[in-house]
Amino acid sequence: MGKIHDSIGDRLARFLLAQPVFFVGTAPLAGDGHVNVSPKGMSGTFAVLGEHRVAYLDYTGSGVETIAHLRENGRIVLMFCAFDGPPNIVRLHGTGRAVLPEEPGFDELRAHFPKERTLGQRAVIVVDVRRISDSCGFSMPLMDLRGDRDLLDRYHERRDPAYFDDHRLTRNSASVDGLPGLPPTA
């Protein structure tokens, strides 16, 4: 049966860090707005910062829904599923914020992640966790991990810095619902 945890202890932190993929859910305040669920992966891109704080690296991609929703209302949930070993699903509900590379505190947060994988990074998403719950995960399939895909890294390596500025302006400045996303770079 499900359980509510008081904090992210060592055992729970080990579980979270061992998962190769997790899912991020956010939504705008508008009832007719688009709910967003994004899968996240690549080893080393998630960190436990404390008993009630986690963070993950956010990379330039197709949209900016998570950042736009966090800017509007801060609500976020991260979900981790065990696809091998004992079944388990853990959800971290809280308030999130995007810390951009040009903002104070980014370098301190970025130090929690591997130094390689800097190309294409656009933010560190920090979540102040208010509710930590787990559930059985009995219906989760057993799956074998073959490894991280290197496609995003290779895609970013082929781009020059101007590409990321243009992408930020043309594709990441607003969500699908028109909420503000990333501001233009200085």
Side-chain angles (χ1 to χ4, degrees):
M1 285 318 240
K3 179 181 178 184
I4 304 296
H5 298 267
D6 292 330
S7 62
I8 301 171
D10 291 340
R11 186 172 148 271
L12 190 53
R14 281 192 304 277
F15 170 81
L16 298 172
L17 293 167
Q19 303 316 306
V21 64
F22 62 97
F23 303 89
V24 176
T26 60
L29 290 176
D32 61 349
H34 292 83
V35 174
N36 186 61
V37 177
S38 294
K40 301 296 178 187
M42 296 194 313
S43 60
T45 60
F46 175 79
V48 175
L49 304 180
E51 291 185 340
H52 292 96
R53 182 173 283 173
V54 298
Y56 69 88
L57 287 177
D58 182 65
Y59 286 91
T60 300
S62 56
V64 71
E65 302 311 297
T66 299
I67 291 175
H69 294 159
L70 294 179
R71 289 184 68 192
E72 184 198 37
N73 62 59
R75 296 179 304 162
I76 189 169
V77 60
L78 298 130
M79 184 177 76
F80 298 77
C81 302
F83 294 110
D84 69 352
N88 195 17
I89 299 171
V90 174
R91 290 178 181 86
L92 307 176
H93 290 89
T95 303
R97 62 188 168 93
V99 181
L100 307 179
E102 62 271 15
E103 294 179 343
F106 179 84
D107 291 337
E108 180 182 326
L109 288 166
R110 184 62 178 83
H112 291 276
F113 304 97
K115 292 182 181 11
E116 64 272 10
R117 288 212 166 116
T118 57
L119 197 56
Q121 70 186 7
R122 65 179 176 188
V124 173
I125 305 296
V126 178
V127 180
D128 291 315
V129 180
R130 287 193 230 145
R131 185 176 193 271
I132 304 158
S133 64
D134 68 9
S135 55
C136 66
F138 290 170
S139 67
M140 290 292 96
L142 289 170
M143 296 169 40
D144 293 322
L145 176 66
R146 291 179 20 209
D148 284 340
R149 293 181 192 260
D150 66 350
L151 294 173
L152 185 62
D153 290 334
R154 290 187 328 195
Y155 180 81
H156 287 160
E157 287 170 0
R158 294 191 306 264
R159 307 293 177 218
D160 63 28
Y163 166 83
F164 296 103
D165 292 339
D166 181 63
H167 194 281
R168 185 173 177 164
L169 182 64
T170 60
R171 297 185 186 176
N172 288 169
S173 61
S175 74
V176 296
D177 295 315
L179 295 172
L182 292 172
T185 55

